[in-house]
Amino acid sequence: MLEKLHKESFDGLLHEPFHVVQPDSAGVDLTLVDVTEHLHTARQESFSAFFHGPASPFIQQGMYHLCNDKLGEVDLFLVPIGRDSNGYQYEAVFNHLIPAS
């Protein structure tokens, strides 16, 4: 599934909720707040998806199963990158090689 996710997959989902499924709890809801392109060439695409979550529970760096009504289910490696008065920010980084046509 990850190879099918591109920046455009997330562009239309800004401010949409993503539910993080956690086996030992009810999970947590994150909001997609930004999508930033790092590189796009004929052979490579690199971008980040930034999420905002609540102050509690805190999500440790790791692989998580996320669900979104429009995108469906996807496993992403989330990294906490900051905190503000409303909660935590998380980043998922994507780097794809684009097959030659």
Side-chain angles (χ1 to χ4, degrees), residues 48-101:
S48 290
F50 296 94
F51 298 88
H52 189 272
S56 180
F58 172 73
I59 299 174
Q60 299 285 335
Q61 175 175 303
M63 186 66 76
Y64 292 93
H65 189 76
L66 283 77
C67 301
N68 172 271
D69 289 342
K70 295 177 184 169
L71 186 64
E73 297 183 14
V74 62
D75 292 325
L76 298 180
F77 190 83
L78 297 176
V79 177
I81 58 168
R83 182 177 185 179
D84 62 22
S85 60
N86 297 317
Y88 290 94
Q89 294 83 39
Y90 301 92
E91 180 179 11
V93 178
F94 299 82
N95 188 33
H96 300 290
L97 292 178
I98 299 170
S101 346

Side-chain angles (χ1 to χ4, degrees), residues 2-79:
L2 286 180
E3 64 277 356
K4 295 180 182 179
L5 292 177
H6 299 280
K7 181 180 177 294
E8 294 78 25
S9 304
F10 290 94
D11 282 340
L13 301 176
L14 286 176
H15 310 293
E16 291 280 330
F18 283 75
H19 183 73
V20 179
V21 178
Q22 294 182 302
D24 299 338
S25 70
V28 62
D29 288 326
L30 304 179
T31 302
L32 181 65
V33 294
D34 194 17
V35 181
T36 303
E37 186 171 72
H38 302 298
L39 175 72
H40 191 94
T41 68
R43 295 287 299 143
Q44 185 177 0
E45 176 187 36
S46 177
F47 68 95
S48 290
F50 296 94
F51 298 88
H52 189 272
S56 180
F58 172 73
I59 299 174
Q60 299 285 335
Q61 175 175 303
M63 186 66 76
Y64 292 93
H65 189 76
L66 283 77
C67 301
N68 172 271
D69 289 342
K70 295 177 184 169
L71 186 64
E73 297 183 14
V74 62
D75 292 325
L76 298 180
F77 190 83
L78 297 176
V79 177

